[in-house]
Structure formats: C-alpha cells, structure tokens
C-alpha cells in the first residue's frame, strides 16, 4: 500500500569521474513520498548548485522495512546519502557503513556543511541521536 504513495524523481548530483579527481554531473534516481517530491527536488537542486559541489555516490529514500518498522524510509520521508562513508554508529560500534571522515573523505557529510544545512532548511534533520549517530540519514520527522 505504501508504494501507491511514492514517486521516483531524477536529480542531478556531483560525483567523481573515473580519475577520482574531476567532479562531473551524474543523475541519480530517488523514490520518496509523492507529497514531498517537489521539495526534495528543490533540496538537491540547491545541493547541486552549492559551493561545496558535494559528491553523491549513492542515495536512497523509500524502503519498506516491515509492518512493525518505525523507520521513515517506509513512508518515503527519509533519505540516506553515501552510506559507506557516513556510518551508523551506536555506543562506539559501527552498525552500518564503513567510516565517517568529514574533511578527509569527500563523501562524508559534515554536520555543519551545506548538505546538512540545506536539508535542515527544508525540515529534514540528520540522524544525530546521542549515542546513536546515523550520519547518512536525513528524515522529515527526525526519526
């Protein structure tokens, strides 16, 4: 039933060319709730046009995680960006992803950088919940 309320949008993003140095425009598809699709388009337009030219290697939105899940991914209201380089860590234990190295790894999202600021401007908050930090995760209701 949730899928009936989703739509897939195409966004322009920066990423690296095969040389690993030159930034190039690429397109990514992202499935979100149809009622926020226009807002999400605007968010990624601003990120793309930003001074940082933040590179996005992978991105995901809607993901059905079961009837008992409280994840906003089930509602198409959460977005994960560069999940390998923006890990989910809880009490010092990495749950998902491989690293989080803002300022070193170009795919890691600084909590005070353009991506976080633009997402927050439109009501999305990064998954920073005390001992549990999900640096890849931005959700509309903060869950």
């Amino acid at each position: 039933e949730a899928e009936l309320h989703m739509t897939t949008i195409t966004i322009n993003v920066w990423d690296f060319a095969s040389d690993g140095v030159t930034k190039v425009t690429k397109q990514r598809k992202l499935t979100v709730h149809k009622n926020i699709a226009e807002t999400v388009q605007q968010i990624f337009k601003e990120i793309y046009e930003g001074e940082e030219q933040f590179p996005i290697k992978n991105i995901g939105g809607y993901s059905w995680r079961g009837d008992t899940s409280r994840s906003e991914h089930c509602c198409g209201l959460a977005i994960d960006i560069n999940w390998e380089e923006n890990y989910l860590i809880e009490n010092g234990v990495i749950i998902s992803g491989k690293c989080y190295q803002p300022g070193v790894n170009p795919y890691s999202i600084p909590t005070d950088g353009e991506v976080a600021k633009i997402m927050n401007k439109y009501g999305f908050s990064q998954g920073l919940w005390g001992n549990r930090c999900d640096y890849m995760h931005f959700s509309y209701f903060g869950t």
Side-chain angles (χ1 to χ4, degrees):
E1 184 179 335
E3 289 182 14
L4 298 174
H5 303 283
M6 302 302 143
T7 190
T8 299
I9 59 175
T10 301
I11 57 173
N12 286 332
V13 301
W14 291 105
D15 199 0
F16 292 100
S18 58
D19 65 9
V21 176
T22 308
K23 286 186 181 175
V24 296
T25 299
K26 295 188 178 178
Q27 291 191 324
R28 302 280 184 251
K29 293 196 179 295
L30 179 61
T31 301
V32 296
H33 193 283
K34 63 185 176 186
N35 289 347
I36 66 163
E38 188 175 315
T39 299
V40 172
Q41 285 276 22
Q42 182 61 32
I43 288 169
F44 285 97
K45 179 179 186 290
E46 289 184 29
I47 291 170
Y48 178 76
E49 293 174 351
E51 289 180 24
E52 287 181 11
Q53 292 186 341
F54 185 81
I56 297 177
K57 177 171 47 172
N58 44 45
I59 189 166
Y62 168 73
S63 172
W64 183 252
R65 297 180 179 185
D67 291 338
T68 59
S69 176
R70 297 183 316 158
S71 171
E72 286 186 61
H73 286 288
C74 294
C75 302
L77 300 175
I79 299 169
D80 287 343
I81 302 171
N82 298 342
W83 41 80
E84 292 296 319
E85 298 81 11
N86 294 285
Y87 59 35
L88 162 59
I89 187 168
E90 185 170 11
N91 296 318
V93 177
I94 297 172
I95 308 297
S96 177
K98 294 184 178 174
C99 66
Y100 180 64
Q101 302 167 313
V104 176
N105 188 314
Y107 290 111
S108 289
I109 304 166
T111 57
D112 62 349
E114 277 184 354
V115 172
K117 288 177 182 175
I118 292 167
M119 295 293 279
N120 189 260
K121 172 182 166 183
Y122 288 93
F124 285 79
S125 58
Q126 199 167 14
L128 308 176
W129 307 294
N131 291 333
R132 183 178 174 95
C133 293
D134 192 349
Y135 296 101
M136 73 185 87
H137 183 85
F138 292 88
S139 56
Y140 195 71
F141 292 114
T143 59

